[in-house]
């Protein structure tokens, strides 16, 4: 029997939709078979809101078998049929938007305004986008490239996709995994983070309500070590897509390699925020605070390293600290809250450890502590600005995943670009300048999968998301994601009807 927890009906209106368990296989909820239980905890209060049975390897096997059985029918559906199903899916998501927003804020600690205005509408838009994209799989035009043959390219679904999504954007990351996969005709088994399964399960239920065939989308909620590794290594899984830390991504790649499956990795980031001396300082300060603190800094693309050209440096530090101090921490469901807690007390303590160690070699300008009072029971941490750290220091080089921004000065444009590229990561970056020449140079020379100019964070369904270097490879969103989720097949027809081809002489006979 599941434990509904202590969340009120107002905070968790969809609670009754999880009564049957936290695994979604062949279109229905079931209980996990691992023999272990796990609690979803509201990080704002530390209270358990839902307790469930974790998935074991048997559940993974059942989900993969369901996806494999559904694959022939779904992959042979016409693009128009898959498109129609996804359009219905988008409509159901829109109808249930408030349930999604509240469940996401409850399990993650996101301010409700972030869930309502970013996570949920972004997911609905993604679904609508892939409903259209399903009818537009692109390939090279048919033609007589050899002169004697007609060639064309087919894009075919790969098979069963096993995907693993993280806890920082559970709903959006589930959508980024599921939508391009099923739009291209694959079936999927998704493992959400065990901390945050609620919106992934609501997402699967909405898919069934929209009429997607049973088995096309399955959810297994278990630990990475048991359910995740078994899914990645499963011989009937043809592709693995993973979003998470670079360290865990290396392990995913190691397990996937044993069965030679397609691999897509979206890993960590340490996004630079480069401010040239001709930038609009007010715009840069506002962009830095918003870009560093979105989702309490738990964002792979968050602004984490601000490099500010020397003439603007002191003013940038002063104004950024002042603006950070106006950000309101509080209950995620309160209308005046700007910043919620981190995902857990363990993550809060991890972030605090980075900051505390940095005190030995850098200046903590503002923040650097957990709040007291009514917020002390939650996993809160104040917005933190650090200055004057060395480029090779831990606080500059390592992904913190919290509300912490480090500011460093630079002198020449060459130095600013060099410092921006000087970490193992390359997921996202931004550059701030009034010069089109400087901006264009930044887009060319900064090694990252996305470079914003005079902004930081916006994403679009039509544009790809993915990184360079230790940030992984492959793309989420956009039509480019079909590169990940389709096989490309060359088909060639002889047009001559000649029995003995000229090239046969290389095997037998003379010209």
């Amino acid at each position: 029997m599941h434990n509904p927890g202590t969340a009120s009906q107002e905070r968790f209106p969809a609670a009754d939709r999880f009564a049957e368990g936290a695994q979604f296989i062949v279109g229905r909820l079931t209980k996990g078979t691992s023999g272990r239980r796990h609690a979803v905890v509201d990080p704002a209060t530390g209270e358990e809101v839902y307790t469930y049975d974790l998935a074991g390897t048997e559940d993974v096997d059942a989900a993969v078998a369901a996806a494999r059985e559904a694959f022939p029918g779904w992959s042979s559906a016409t693009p128009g049929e898959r498109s129609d199903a996804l359009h219905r899916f988008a409509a159901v998501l829109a109808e249930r938007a408030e349930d999604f927003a509240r469940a996401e804020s409850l399990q993650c600690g996101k301010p409700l305004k972030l869930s309502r205005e970013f996570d949920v509408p972004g997911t609905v838009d993604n679904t609508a986008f892939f409903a259209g994209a399903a009818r537009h799989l692109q390939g090279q035009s048919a033609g007589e490239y050899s002169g004697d043959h007609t060639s064309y390219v087919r894009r075919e679904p790969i098979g069963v996709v096993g995907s693993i999504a993280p806890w920082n954007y559970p709903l959006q990351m589930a959508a980024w995994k599921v939508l391009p996969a099923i739009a291209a005709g694959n079936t999927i088994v998704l493992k959400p983070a065990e901390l945050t399964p609620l919106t992934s399960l609501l997402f699967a239920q909405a898919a069934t309500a929209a009429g997607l065939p049973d088995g096309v989308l399955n959810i297994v909620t278990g630990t990475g070590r048991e359910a995740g590794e078994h899914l990645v290594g499963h011989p009937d899984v043809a592709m693995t897509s993973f979003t998470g830390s670079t360290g865990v991504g290396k392990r995913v790649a190691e397990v996937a390699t044993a069965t030679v499956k397609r691999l897509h990795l979206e890993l960590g980031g340490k996004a630079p925020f480069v401010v040239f001396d001709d930038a609009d300082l007010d715009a840069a300060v506002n962009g830095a605070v918003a870009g560093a603190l979105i989702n309490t800094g738990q964002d792979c693309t968050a602004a984490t390293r601000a490099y500010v050209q020397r003439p603007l440096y002191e003013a940038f530090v002063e104004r950024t600290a002042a603006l950070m101090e106006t950000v309101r921490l509080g209950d995620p469901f309160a209308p005046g809250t700007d910043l919620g807690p981190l995902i857990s007390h363990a993550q809060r303590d991890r972030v605090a450890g980075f900051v505390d160690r940095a005190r030995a070699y850098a200046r903590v300008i503002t923040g650097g502590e957990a709040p007291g009072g009514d917020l002390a029971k939650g996993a809160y941490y104040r917005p933190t600005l650090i200055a004057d750290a060395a480029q090779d220091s831990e606080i500059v080089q390592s992904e913190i995943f919290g509300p912490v921004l480090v500011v460093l000065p630079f002198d020449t444009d060459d130095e600013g670009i060099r410092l921006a590229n000087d970490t193992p990561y390359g997921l996202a970056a931004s550059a701030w300048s009034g010069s089109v020449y400087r901006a264009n140079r930044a887009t060319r020379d900064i090694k990252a999968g996305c470079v914003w100019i005079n902004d930081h964070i916006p994403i679009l369904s039509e544009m790809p998301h993915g990184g360079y270097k230790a940030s992984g490879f492959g793309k989420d969103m956009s039509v480019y994601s079909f590169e990940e989720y389709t096989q490309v097949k060359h088909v060639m027809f002889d047009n001559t009807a000649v029995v003995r081809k000229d090239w046969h002489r290389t095997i037998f006979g003379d010209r």
Side-chain angles (χ1 to χ4, degrees):
M1 185 91 181
H2 85 287
N3 176 6
T6 58
S8 67
Q9 175 67 21
E10 181 184 6
R11 291 172 81 90
F12 194 13
D16 59 349
R17 294 190 186 163
F18 303 98
E20 301 304 317
Q23 319 305 321
F24 190 87
I25 302 171
V26 199
R28 66 186 184 89
L29 289 171
T30 63
K31 298 185 187 304
T33 63
S34 71
R36 294 186 308 281
R37 309 201 80 202
H38 188 80
V40 177
V41 175
D42 178 354
T45 64
E47 296 174 346
E48 294 183 5
V49 297
Y50 177 67
T51 304
Y52 64 94
D53 298 297
L54 287 162
T57 57
E58 291 181 6
D59 303 302
V60 175
D61 289 341
V64 172
R68 186 177 180 185
E69 184 175 350
F71 177 73
W74 183 247
S75 62
S76 62
T78 66
E81 289 168 337
R82 293 199 293 268
S83 175
D84 288 346
L86 288 170
H87 277 299
R88 295 193 301 270
F89 191 10
V92 174
L93 294 173
E95 290 169 3
R96 300 179 179 182
E98 186 64 11
D99 285 352
F100 277 99
R102 289 183 176 273
E104 193 79 334
S105 287
L106 184 69
Q107 67 182 353
C108 299
K110 297 173 186 281
L112 191 56
K113 66 179 179 180
L114 179 63
S115 295
R116 280 176 173 164
E117 298 175 23
F118 184 75
D119 297 72
V120 175
T123 300
V124 174
D125 184 72
N126 256 241
T127 309
F129 171 81
F130 279 106
R135 305 183 84 143
H136 297 286
L137 289 176
Q138 297 175 347
Q140 192 168 356
S141 299
E144 288 66 51
Y145 297 99
S146 77
D148 292 337
H149 307 82
T150 296
S151 289
Y152 65 88
V153 170
R154 290 177 57 89
R155 280 193 180 273
E156 297 179 350
I158 295 170
V160 177
V161 178
S163 291
I164 300 175
W167 49 255
N168 58 331
Y169 290 102
L171 177 60
Q172 285 202 313
M173 297 295 104
W176 288 12
K177 301 299 182 196
V178 169
L179 295 171
I182 65 175
N186 302 283
T187 55
I188 189 167
V189 178
L190 174 74
K191 192 200 87 66
E194 60 267 33
L195 293 174
T196 55
L198 300 178
T199 46
S200 294
L201 293 168
L202 289 176
F203 191 69
Q205 291 175 320
T208 295
L212 267 73
D214 291 347
V216 170
L217 169 55
N218 307 275
I219 307 287
V220 290
T221 307
T223 65
R225 186 172 296 278
E226 183 173 3
E229 290 208 7
H230 192 62
L231 178 62
V232 172
H234 200 291
D236 290 335
V237 169
M239 174 185 169
T240 291
S241 177
F242 170 80
T243 296
S245 71
T246 298
V248 177
K250 291 177 181 178
R251 175 59 182 163
V252 168
E254 180 183 338
V255 174
T257 298
T259 48
V260 197
K261 49 174 55 78
R262 179 79 67 88
L263 188 60
H264 169 212
L265 299 175
E266 198 266 271
L267 306 177
K270 190 71 178 175
F273 186 101
V274 183
V275 182
F276 293 102
D277 59 14
D278 62 348
D280 182 321
L281 182 58
D282 288 336
V285 167
N286 279 270
V289 174
L293 301 184
I294 187 170
N295 204 35
T296 317
Q298 299 167 124
D299 188 312
C300 294
T301 64
T304 58
R305 300 177 289 140
Y307 296 102
V308 183
Q309 206 152 24
R310 191 82 60 179
L312 298 183
Y313 179 72
E314 292 297 339
F316 180 91
V317 170
E318 179 181 350
R319 294 190 195 183
T320 300
L323 186 57
M324 276 190 172
E325 290 166 2
T326 70
V327 173
R328 300 165 296 180
L329 278 69
D331 177 0
F333 288 80
T337 294
D338 297 321
L339 203 68
L342 291 150
I343 189 66
S344 67
H345 287 82
Q347 179 65 12
R348 190 269 315 274
D349 293 345
R350 178 180 180 274
V351 171
F354 275 102
V355 176
D356 289 344
R357 290 189 295 273
R359 296 180 195 276
Y361 55 80
R363 288 189 296 148
V364 177
I365 306 299
T366 190
E369 62 181 5
D374 292 341
L375 300 182
K377 61 186 176 182
Y380 290 89
Y381 198 76
R382 293 195 185 282
T384 300
L385 184 67
I386 294 175
D388 302 341
Q391 175 66 17
D392 62 356
S393 62
E394 177 192 53
I395 203 80
V396 174
Q397 292 292 321
S398 298
E399 186 173 35
I400 300 169
F401 231 55
V404 179
L405 176 64
V406 183
V407 188
L408 298 88
F410 69 93
D411 292 302
T412 67
D413 289 14
D414 287 348
E415 182 188 15
I417 298 293
R418 179 181 62 77
L419 293 172
N421 287 328
D422 185 28
T423 71
Y425 301 103
L427 185 58
S430 65
W432 298 72
S433 175
S435 165
V436 67
Y437 303 106
R438 273 176 157 169
N440 272 330
R441 183 194 174 184
T443 64
R444 291 192 308 270
D445 291 353
I446 294 177
K447 304 306 180 187
C450 174
V451 180
W452 293 284
I453 299 299
N454 295 328
D455 206 346
H456 195 106
I457 285 296
I459 56 174
L460 299 165
S461 296
E462 294 84 356
M463 290 291 112
H465 177 85
Y468 288 23
K469 303 188 294 185
S471 292
F473 49 81
K475 299 299 178 186
D476 289 313
M477 299 196 297
S478 82
V479 295
Y480 290 98
S481 64
F482 287 133
E483 301 290 341
E484 316 304 321
Y485 294 99
T486 55
Q487 298 275 19
V488 175
K489 177 186 288 183
H490 170 215
V491 177
M492 178 180 273
F493 281 87
D494 171 59
N495 292 330
T496 67
V498 173
V499 173
R500 187 157 179 165
K501 311 291 196 252
D502 186 54
W503 71 267
H504 291 177
R505 74 184 188 279
T506 62
I507 305 302
F508 52 84
D510 301 319
R511 183 180 293 277

